[in-house]
Amino acid sequence: MKTETPFELTILGSSSALPTSDRYPTAQVLRVPGRFFLIDCGEGTQIQIRRQKISFSKINHIFISHLHGDHFYGLIGLLSTLNLLGLKKDIHIYSPSELKTLIQPQLDHLKADLQFKVIFHPLNFKKPQKIYSDKKVEVFSFPLKHSSPVCGFLFKEIPKQRNIKKEFIKQYNIPVAEIKNIKTGADFKTTDGKVIPNAELTTLPPRPRSYAFCTDTVFLPEITEIIQNVDLLYHEATFTESMKDWAKKTLHSTAKEAAEIARLAKAGKLIIGHFSARYKTVSEFKKEAKSVFENTETATDGNTYKVEQH
Amino acid sequence: MKTETPFELTILGSSSALPTSDRYPTAQVLRVPGRFFLIDCGEGTQIQIRRQKISFSKINHIFISHLHGDHFYGLIGLLSTLNLLGLKKDIHIYSPSELKTLIQPQLDHLKADLQFKVIFHPLNFKKPQKIYSDKKVEVFSFPLKHSSPVCGFLFKEIPKQRNIKKEFIKQYNIPVAEIKNIKTGADFKTTDGKVIPNAELTTLPPRPRSYAFCTDTVFLPEITEIIQNVDLLYHEATFTESMKDWAKKTLHSTAKEAAEIARLAKAGKLIIGHFSARYKTVSEFKKEAKSVFENTETATDGNTYKVEQH
């Protein structure tokens, strides 16, 4: 029996620089077994976390793509709340190094009461880098291109070992030391010299799932190499093609360009967001993106996008 | 004919340190002719301003009572938005002097683009002080008592001059210079020596209206002197009487104590807010306050409380 483990993204904010009355600035959580990775933390993130009934105690790793206010102004409020809630586990922040300077005075102001450490991990804007890993997931940053140094993030499940069929362990009396080898792909030789091929002894583990977050960037097709075959892709689409020149000038992408990235990356599904507040509806974004990449959705605050296990 | 001029309070946030899913942290706007005074600026204030369709361009004076995060974490996001909207009028902030230190790094980070000046006016925590005045309104700060230096604010309309009845100006051919005197209460002597008493020539102007904001304070009856006869009073009520000892220890007030302040101040109406997130409903707050001061309402985000002109 396969036990389903979560790998799902919840949008907390999908507006761009100016929040609207129904879209908060950028923030998302990726739920994986045992924890929530918080990705960007615009103003109001803690309010959205509460509304989504996400456990504050399971947030210990926060990824901040860049230092425009709509991507980090909610951080100090969140840290203050974690502290008021009595949480004591260290908080790791992966961000441009300057973030520390920007919020340190406010952290110092809280400091007398602060019950956990805040550990800053500076991002590398020159090349992709593994910035986090545990037994189940690894996270990479990779440079994007915008008016402020910015990284995207790629979250990948670590491939699981093959599942050994229990009946064979009993049948061939397989020793524990051998089980380890078989799980990594080895065949098994019985005491009478018969070779049982691995494919017979084991079943394939679920395919590792992946999510890529690409925000605030001009159209940058070279990133499709690192995010190739990603299951779920979020890509900013601040404008539609009618404002393509302005998108280029402000180093943002259009919905069509976001879809082009999804197509080149052979992504499973695309979610677009970071819509400019000047658009009254997002229907044009959707139409434009779908013309290039059919499996596109427009981000909506509070929506959850699940990546199934296969 | 009397022209009605606005003097009304809109609650943007009514929670205490921890926001809930339906209450933002503290923020309010007092609408007076031509402008909105912003009072405290918890996280999410700019989102609430937008939802209430309040014009950002009419906010130039911001009053921050004290430096607990739930009263000022929304400030940097608001300033950034005012800037993105292209507003150019100076912003005056009345706050503890330390606020400048806390947000200066983030202001500097925006600075290259910042199109207006941010002018800080430090509050006096020793005694009441007039901190703002224009032709129509004056604002006073007065010390409260909490675990961080804190002031309340009193907003008062400046008394208007008496209204001279137009028919008398014509009838007695009153010169312009005399009109000025009559408006301030003088009688009028006609060319043949007859004295027309002021009461006959003029009507009473509307009574000046007032609003007092008292947040984050232990029960402090001495403040009722400065806010005596206030039309509208907001007073924090973080706890109910069942947590009276805890209220005292954390230097907050109970609903009953807030009502006692309203009673002693002979306020017209009391609004209580800053409810601790541990309470599921506010019905007990209301009941408790009303037992002491009948004209009490519990603050609700988005509600507007109008002070009528009499």
Side-chain angles (χ1 to χ4, degrees):
Chain A
M1 203 185 70
K2 213 168 61 181
T3 314
E4 183 74 12
T5 55
F7 193 91
E8 57 189 45
L9 181 77
T10 299
I11 303 292
L12 302 175
S14 56
S15 188
S16 60
L18 293 174
T20 67
S21 45
D22 56 0
R23 290 183 192 274
Y24 280 71
T26 304
Q28 315 184 338
V29 281
L30 182 71
R31 184 180 173 211
V32 297
R35 64 170 85 253
F36 289 94
F37 291 117
L38 177 61
I39 308 162
D40 279 352
C41 189
E43 183 175 354
T45 296
Q46 63 160 320
I47 294 163
Q48 293 289 72
I49 288 173
R50 198 171 281 269
R51 283 190 182 145
Q52 298 305 318
K53 304 195 193 312
I54 290 165
S55 168
F56 282 105
S57 69
K58 290 192 174 155
I59 298 173
N60 295 97
H61 297 275
I62 303 174
F63 300 84
I64 303 290
S65 63
H66 68 301
L67 297 182
H68 282 163
D70 54 321
H71 295 257
F72 80 97
Y73 282 166
L75 189 57
I76 185 67
L78 175 66
L79 294 175
S80 164
T81 287
L82 295 178
N83 193 44
L84 283 170
L85 292 173
L87 300 177
K88 294 187 174 59
K89 278 210 278 184
D90 292 347
I91 299 292
H92 294 265
I93 301 179
Y94 308 82
S95 71
S97 59
E98 205 189 346
L99 177 61
K100 192 173 187 304
T101 322
L102 293 181
I103 70 161
Q104 196 64 50
Q106 297 191 14
L107 281 178
D108 290 344
H109 184 67
L110 282 175
K111 202 176 165 185
D113 305 317
L114 205 59
Q115 299 179 71
F116 50 80
K117 275 193 215 153
V118 180
I119 299 155
F120 290 92
H121 304 266
L123 292 176
N124 184 331
F125 298 108
K126 295 209 171 118
K127 56 178 186 184
Q129 196 165 46
K130 190 194 283 189
I131 55 176
Y132 170 87
S133 70
D134 59 27
K135 283 180 186 168
K136 293 177 175 164
V137 183
E138 46 193 12
V139 186
F140 300 83
S141 67
F142 54 94
L144 298 170
K145 193 176 170 190
H146 189 51
S147 51
S148 176
V150 55
C151 276
F153 301 110
L154 174 64
F155 300 79
K156 284 170 88 167
E157 279 187 314
I158 289 173
K160 290 188 177 69
Q161 294 184 318
R162 298 179 70 88
N163 296 310
I164 188 162
K165 294 176 190 165
K166 282 189 184 144
E167 63 267 31
F168 287 117
I169 300 177
K170 215 172 168 182
Q171 184 181 333
Y172 298 114
N173 200 18
I174 304 177
V176 174
E178 281 298 312
I179 292 176
K180 222 174 152 183
N181 296 333
I182 292 168
K183 281 186 172 177
T184 62
D187 298 334
F188 177 63
K189 199 183 268 186
T190 61
T191 43
D192 54 4
K194 190 181 166 196
V195 173
I196 319 290
N198 187 280
E200 199 174 304
L201 293 165
T202 63
T203 55
L204 267 177
R207 210 175 61 79
R209 293 166 291 184
S210 57
Y211 168 60
F213 172 77
C214 304
T215 192
D216 287 43
T217 186
V218 75
F219 178 61
L220 206 63
E222 56 264 44
I223 62 169
T224 59
E225 196 178 316
I226 183 169
I227 63 171
Q228 195 64 214
N229 295 315
V230 73
D231 292 301
L232 184 64
L233 168 64
Y234 170 92
H235 197 287
E236 75 119 298
T238 309
F239 302 106
T240 56
E241 283 288 299
S242 64
M243 294 192 72
K244 192 180 173 133
D245 291 345
W246 186 245
K248 207 167 186 177
K249 198 173 167 195
T250 58
L251 297 165
H252 280 298
S253 301
T254 68
K256 196 175 171 190
E257 288 168 339
E260 184 62 15
I261 296 292
R263 195 185 64 78
L264 292 170
K266 300 186 183 66
K269 184 193 191 79
L270 169 67
I271 300 162
I272 50 174
H274 201 265
F275 310 115
S276 164
R278 77 191 70 199
Y279 294 87
K280 295 290 169 242
T281 77
V282 297
S283 54
E284 192 58 29
F285 287 88
K286 194 168 188 170
K287 195 176 144 195
E288 197 172 291
K290 272 177 168 292
S291 74
V292 173
F293 187 82
E294 171 54 28
N295 196 7
T296 300
E297 289 196 40
T298 46
T300 301
D301 291 13
N303 272 13
T304 294
Y305 306 90
K306 199 170 174 173
V307 183
E308 301 290 348
Q309 206 165 41
H310 294 293
Chain B
M1 204 185 65
K2 210 167 61 179
T3 314
E4 183 74 12
T5 56
F7 194 89
E8 58 190 42
L9 181 76
T10 298
I11 303 292
L12 301 176
S14 57
S15 189
S16 59
L18 294 174
T20 68
S21 45
D22 56 358
R23 291 182 191 275
Y24 280 69
T26 305
Q28 315 184 339
V29 280
L30 182 72
R31 182 179 175 212
V32 298
R35 65 171 84 250
F36 289 92
F37 292 117
L38 177 61
I39 308 162
D40 279 352
C41 189
E43 183 176 353
T45 296
Q46 62 160 322
I47 294 163
Q48 293 288 72
I49 287 173
R50 198 171 281 269
R51 283 190 182 146
Q52 297 306 317
K53 303 194 193 311
I54 290 165
S55 168
F56 283 104
S57 67
K58 290 191 173 158
I59 298 174
N60 295 96
H61 297 274
I62 302 175
F63 300 83
I64 303 289
S65 62
H66 68 302
L67 296 183
H68 282 162
D70 55 320
H71 296 258
F72 80 98
Y73 281 167
L75 190 57
I76 185 68
L78 175 66
L79 294 175
S80 164
T81 287
L82 295 177
N83 193 44
L84 283 170
L85 292 172
L87 301 177
K88 294 188 173 62
K89 278 210 278 185
D90 292 347
I91 300 292
H92 295 265
I93 300 179
Y94 308 83
S95 71
S97 58
E98 206 189 345
L99 177 62
K100 192 173 188 303
T101 322
L102 293 181
I103 70 162
Q104 196 63 50
Q106 298 191 13
L107 281 177
D108 289 344
H109 184 68
L110 282 175
K111 202 174 165 184
D113 305 316
L114 206 60
Q115 299 180 70
F116 49 79
K117 275 193 215 154
V118 179
I119 300 155
F120 290 92
H121 303 268
L123 293 175
N124 184 332
F125 297 107
K126 296 210 172 118
K127 55 180 185 183
Q129 197 166 43
K130 190 195 283 189
I131 55 176
Y132 170 87
S133 70
D134 59 27
K135 282 180 186 168
K136 290 176 177 166
V137 183
E138 49 193 8
V139 186
F140 300 82
S141 67
F142 54 93
L144 298 170
K145 191 177 171 189
H146 189 50
S147 52
S148 176
V150 54
C151 277
F153 301 111
L154 174 65
F155 300 79
K156 285 169 86 167
E157 281 188 314
I158 289 171
K160 290 189 175 68
Q161 294 185 316
R162 297 180 69 89
N163 296 310
I164 187 162
K165 294 176 189 167
K166 282 191 182 145
E167 63 267 31
F168 287 117
I169 301 177
K170 210 167 172 188
Q171 184 181 336
Y172 297 117
N173 199 16
I174 304 177
V176 173
E178 281 298 311
I179 291 175
K180 219 173 155 185
N181 296 333
I182 291 167
K183 282 186 170 176
T184 62
D187 297 334
F188 177 64
K189 199 185 264 185
T190 63
T191 42
D192 54 4
K194 190 181 164 193
V195 173
I196 316 291
N198 186 281
E200 197 174 306
L201 292 166
T202 64
T203 55
L204 266 178
R207 207 176 64 78
R209 294 167 291 182
S210 55
Y211 168 60
F213 171 77
C214 304
T215 193
D216 286 43
T217 185
V218 74
F219 178 60
L220 206 64
E222 56 263 43
I223 62 170
T224 59
E225 197 177 316
I226 183 170
I227 62 171
Q228 195 64 213
N229 295 316
V230 71
D231 291 302
L232 184 64
L233 168 64
Y234 170 91
H235 196 288
E236 74 121 297
T238 309
F239 301 105
T240 55
E241 283 287 299
S242 64
M243 294 193 70
K244 192 180 173 133
D245 291 345
W246 187 245
K248 208 167 184 175
K249 198 173 166 196
T250 57
L251 297 165
H252 280 299
S253 301
T254 68
K256 195 175 172 189
E257 289 169 339
E260 184 62 16
I261 296 293
R263 194 184 65 79
L264 292 170
K266 298 186 184 68
K269 183 191 192 80
L270 170 65
I271 299 162
I272 52 174
H274 201 265
F275 310 116
S276 163
R278 76 190 73 200
Y279 293 88
K280 295 289 170 244
T281 78
V282 297
S283 56
E284 192 57 31
F285 287 88
K286 194 167 188 171
K287 195 176 144 194
E288 197 173 290
K290 274 180 167 287
S291 74
V292 174
F293 187 83
E294 171 53 30
N295 196 7
T296 300
E297 289 196 41
T298 46
T300 301
D301 291 12
N303 271 14
T304 293
Y305 305 90
K306 198 170 174 172
V307 183
E308 301 289 349
Q309 208 166 42
H310 294 292

